[in-house]
Amino acid sequence: MSQPFVELPSTLRASRRGKVAILTLARPEKRNALSDATVLGIERFFTSLPSDVCSVVIAADGDHFCAGLDLGEMAERDTLAGVRHSRMWHRAFEQVEFGPVPVVSALKGAVVGGGLELAAATHLRVAERSTFYALPEGMRGLFVGGGGSVRIPRLIGVARMADLMLTGRRYDADEGAALGLSQYVAEDGTGLDLAVDLATRIADNAPQTNYAIVQALPRIAEASPHEGYAMESMMAAIAQGTDDAKQRMQAFLDGRAQKVTER
């Protein structure tokens, strides 16, 4: 019997398909703009994920993934309150990026501002052809506050992010895939199915390898080469020393495991 999900605000909905959990942004009338309650709900979902969930898909109701911060909720804040608000977003999205399992996002329509910051915290991104990316903070007198200035330049570079923020430029789905904002482009209406298919394949991987990819790989990439090599050696030894790895390797040697082929 599947374990239950934590209670969520009305702007979020959780479901599952086997070992895959689906967290849906459920505020289509606001283009799934992120309220504080939604961001805190995302954090609560990932920190309370049932132990039998092996991967997660973040999806969205309606025509748009997420149009960003709910500007209607913006309140007068002093400097310290503004810092604390941004740090709350950081804390929540860190649970997506460095949580217990890999996360796939199913993108469509607007992936704008905070929506792009959320998408950038996921590990794989599937973009339907309707997807467009933008960072309109410059036009609003704002600056990214949900980790975008750290995560998005890793995907597309500082100059391209500056262009998005300075000029209001938009990238479409194909441009975004070419630059690294997504790894897959799907026809409209098919993105969620592809995201779930990918998440299902991921869920069948060895859990220790999935955990190492989510937790160690980004840190190795940011480390100096010497530190990276040391971390890689330790993670390789930890992964291959598990009973699961030994069983999987024996299955391969016995011809019982699927081989890598051209197609």
Side-chain angles (χ1 to χ4, degrees):
M1 183 176 178
S2 298
Q3 299 173 29
F5 293 110
V6 70
E7 185 176 352
L8 296 171
S10 61
T11 53
L12 293 169
R13 185 176 67 255
S15 60
R16 64 186 302 161
R17 297 190 195 177
K19 295 184 287 186
V20 178
I22 303 173
L23 179 64
T24 301
L25 305 178
R27 202 184 183 197
E29 71 281 3
K30 292 283 190 178
R31 299 205 302 176
N32 294 310
L34 295 172
S35 63
D36 285 355
T38 304
V39 174
L40 290 169
I42 291 170
E43 179 185 26
R44 193 159 60 250
F45 175 82
F46 280 96
T47 54
S48 306
L49 204 61
S51 60
D52 58 341
V53 167
C54 297
S55 60
V56 172
V57 170
I58 298 180
D61 285 342
D63 296 329
H64 301 280
F65 177 72
C66 177
L69 168 71
D70 184 354
L71 296 178
E73 272 199 358
M74 285 197 70
E76 291 270 347
R77 295 188 180 96
D78 61 27
T79 301
L80 181 57
V83 170
R84 287 174 171 164
H85 185 258
S86 174
R87 293 295 287 157
M88 180 267 285
W89 280 55
H90 292 166
R91 190 183 70 230
F93 289 0
E94 186 167 332
Q95 293 302 321
V96 178
E97 183 178 12
F98 292 111
V101 298
V103 183
V104 183
S105 51
L107 311 178
K108 56 185 174 180
V111 184
V112 172
L116 180 50
E117 292 183 288
L118 173 59
T122 66
H123 305 103
L124 295 183
R125 292 166 295 279
V126 175
E128 293 190 0
R129 293 205 173 274
S130 65
T131 301
F132 62 92
Y133 307 93
L135 292 170
E137 282 77 4
M139 294 183 290
R140 309 277 190 264
L142 304 174
F143 191 78
V144 289
S149 63
V150 175
R151 293 189 180 97
I152 298 170
R154 292 175 186 162
L155 302 177
I156 64 174
V158 174
R160 289 194 178 98
M161 180 169 177
D163 183 21
L164 288 172
M165 295 182 73
L166 289 169
T167 69
R169 181 173 183 167
R170 299 189 343 173
Y171 291 128
D172 64 24
D174 288 326
E175 290 170 325
L179 295 175
L181 289 172
S182 78
Q183 293 96 332
Y184 299 87
V185 175
E187 296 303 319
D188 290 345
T190 67
L192 177 57
D193 287 340
L194 176 54
V196 171
D197 178 64
L198 292 168
T200 301
R201 283 188 252 169
I202 290 167
D204 288 335
N205 290 342
Q208 70 274 9
T209 302
N210 278 351
Y211 193 79
I213 292 168
V214 169
Q215 298 293 329
L217 184 59
R219 294 179 167 97
I220 291 170
E222 292 178 354
S224 70
H226 292 298
E227 292 169 335
Y229 293 142
M231 282 192 283
E232 179 185 82
S233 295
M234 286 187 285
M235 288 309 307
I238 291 168
Q240 71 188 30
T242 62
D243 291 339
D244 177 84
K246 293 172 184 176
Q247 293 168 5
R248 287 171 183 260
M249 284 302 300
Q250 193 59 53
F252 176 80
L253 294 172
D254 292 344
R256 294 181 284 113
Q258 184 177 358
K259 292 181 172 61
V260 176
T261 59
E262 185 177 351
R263 296 192 182 277

